[in-house]
Amino acid sequence: MVLRIFGLSGVVTVVSLVVALLYGGPEALILCAILGILEVSLSFDNAVINATVLERMSEFWQKIFLTVGVLIAVFGMRLVFPLAIVWITAGLNPADALDLALNPPPDDASHFADGSPSYETLLTDAHPQIAAFGGMFLALLFLNFIFDEREITWLSWLEKPLAKAGKLDMLSVVVAGSGLVLIAEFVAADDKRATVLAAGLLGMITYIAVDGLGSMFHTEDLEGGPSDLVKATGKAGFFLFLYLEVLDASFSFDGVIGAFAITSDPIIIALGLGLIGAMFVRSITVYLVRRGTLQEYVYLEHGAHWAIGALAVILLVSIGVHINEIITGLVGVAFIGAAFASSIIRNRREGDSKEVENEPEVTPVG
């Protein structure tokens, strides 16, 4: 099963590395491998969240996301998205933006001899609005999870009080909106405040719209609650698909921006982040769904959402302060690793308690 799920990702990795070697020699191959590892480390929490949503979708919509959705992730977010930012922010047409990306200034300079900015510089200048949009989308995702009452809690000492506070209607929007105002006021540069506010507000609107549409068409059981036995189809499946695509886009922001600290070559970025990274994230998602890992290790979903909350904070803080991508990746891995370990301990305790309950009673002699 493992070979079947991860086999295609392995083949794609080998092909991508060969293409990188032919394209730019040993240096390009090494950069491509580094970017692939970076994307997988940054996106493991993405795979966990993808799996939680995919479990609610019908088999048809699961296949659509794992095929069409992955293509959008590979070519849309890792290749077209950075180019589109340059088209919009610099006022260049697509052909000029692509030419600028493929022909950087010598010696990795930030500007050409005539003073015009490089592709990497233009994309970096657009980071505040990208981080504001993605940060607010992920912040609402985290807050809606943490303010919701759940039967199972991981960090109970913190999650239970937050769930009680979440009974206040729209608290997640209030907290997220307040955070956006503070970030714009104290973190963003003076000339970026309005842009950050607008981008952050758009991120909030996007989350509310997509999440609301998904909830509107969510299939319910006879008692009015969401049914675990009925998978989302039709419009419900479609809006969950849209939700996953926007979610993947939000997760991709830090990886795409971080990639330019390693190389500005869009071909290497597409091979490393897109093909290698995105394919392994897809395989991890499929593995989690097929093996029922989220049901077996019940705290993984909690760990992934706490990682999302940390990523949202990192994105918003990065509007004014540079944060190393290694830190971003390690924070996510740490939360999920801790949640996984906690799940194992919980399972062992439950197993031990069941063994005690099942032990036959010994009747005393005499």
Side-chain angles (χ1 to χ4, degrees):
M1 181 178 180
V2 174
L3 180 61
R4 185 171 68 252
I5 292 175
F6 288 91
L8 179 59
S9 297
V11 172
V12 170
T13 297
V14 173
V15 172
S16 299
L17 293 175
V18 171
V19 172
L21 179 63
L22 296 175
Y23 172 75
E27 181 181 358
L29 183 147
I30 294 172
L31 292 175
C32 182
I34 292 173
L35 289 175
I37 295 171
L38 172 69
E39 178 69 359
V40 173
S41 64
L42 290 175
S43 299
F44 193 85
D45 47 356
N46 188 6
V48 176
I49 298 301
N50 285 350
T52 63
V53 178
L54 276 176
E55 288 182 336
R56 296 162 50 192
M57 300 169 72
S58 67
E59 185 177 352
F60 170 79
W61 282 107
Q62 287 183 6
K63 290 180 179 179
I64 290 294
F65 175 74
L66 294 173
T67 53
V68 177
V70 170
L71 288 176
I72 294 174
V74 171
F75 296 103
M77 284 308 303
R78 276 74 174 184
L79 184 59
V80 177
F81 172 70
L83 291 170
I85 293 175
V86 176
W87 303 342
I88 297 170
T89 59
L92 298 175
N93 62 53
D96 289 341
L98 181 60
D99 179 70
L100 189 65
L102 294 174
N103 299 284
D107 301 322
D108 295 325
S110 61
H111 290 75
F112 290 93
D114 60 1
S116 58
S118 66
Y119 175 79
E120 180 182 356
T121 300
L122 290 172
L123 189 62
T124 302
D125 289 343
H127 175 72
Q129 49 263 51
I130 297 170
F133 179 93
M136 293 312 299
F137 185 95
L138 295 177
L140 275 179
L141 173 62
F142 165 71
L143 291 172
N144 278 337
F145 178 87
I146 212 65
F147 285 146
D148 189 24
E149 281 194 296
R150 300 179 183 280
E151 182 180 349
I152 297 175
T153 56
W154 177 36
L155 305 176
S156 300
W157 59 274
L158 182 57
E159 292 181 5
K160 287 184 177 179
L162 288 174
K164 289 181 179 179
K167 292 180 180 179
L168 178 63
D169 195 28
M170 302 300 289
L171 179 60
S172 59
V173 176
V174 173
V175 173
S178 301
L180 176 61
V181 172
L182 293 174
I183 289 294
E185 181 66 25
F186 297 107
V187 178
D190 292 341
D191 60 338
K192 293 288 186 180
R193 287 177 180 172
T195 303
V196 166
L197 281 172
L201 183 60
L202 183 59
M204 293 176 66
I205 292 172
T206 302
Y207 176 84
I208 293 170
V210 176
D211 184 63
L213 288 170
S215 300
M216 182 187 300
F217 292 99
H218 195 287
T219 305
E220 297 187 346
D221 61 17
L222 296 177
E223 296 181 357
S227 172
D228 292 330
L229 300 176
V230 181
K231 300 295 185 179
T233 60
K235 292 180 179 179
F238 173 70
F239 285 117
L240 284 177
F241 172 79
L242 290 182
Y243 177 79
L244 279 174
E245 288 302 320
V246 179
L247 185 63
D248 179 76
S250 299
F251 273 106
S252 300
F253 291 145
D254 60 326
V256 172
I257 297 299
F260 281 87
I262 298 172
T263 178
S264 60
D265 192 316
I267 304 300
I268 301 300
I269 291 175
L271 290 171
L273 291 189
L275 291 175
I276 298 178
M279 285 301 297
F280 265 102
V281 171
R282 175 192 181 277
S283 294
I284 295 171
T285 301
V286 173
Y287 180 82
L288 293 173
V289 174
R290 299 287 185 266
R291 289 293 300 266
T293 306
L294 297 179
Q295 283 75 37
E296 183 179 357
Y297 303 102
V298 294
Y299 296 140
L300 273 181
E301 184 179 4
H302 295 260
H305 278 89
W306 280 103
I308 287 171
L311 176 57
V313 172
I314 288 172
L315 278 172
L316 294 171
V317 171
S318 71
I319 292 173
V321 180
H322 174 71
I323 299 177
N324 192 290
E325 291 72 27
I326 295 177
I327 296 175
T328 306
L330 289 178
V331 167
V333 171
F335 272 115
I336 293 175
F340 180 72
S342 299
S343 299
I344 293 176
I345 295 172
R346 176 184 183 273
N347 292 344
R348 287 178 177 174
R349 287 176 178 172
E350 288 195 345
D352 292 341
S353 63
K354 288 180 180 179
E355 287 180 4
V356 172
E357 291 177 1
N358 294 330
E359 285 183 1
E361 294 186 4
V362 178
T363 304
V365 179

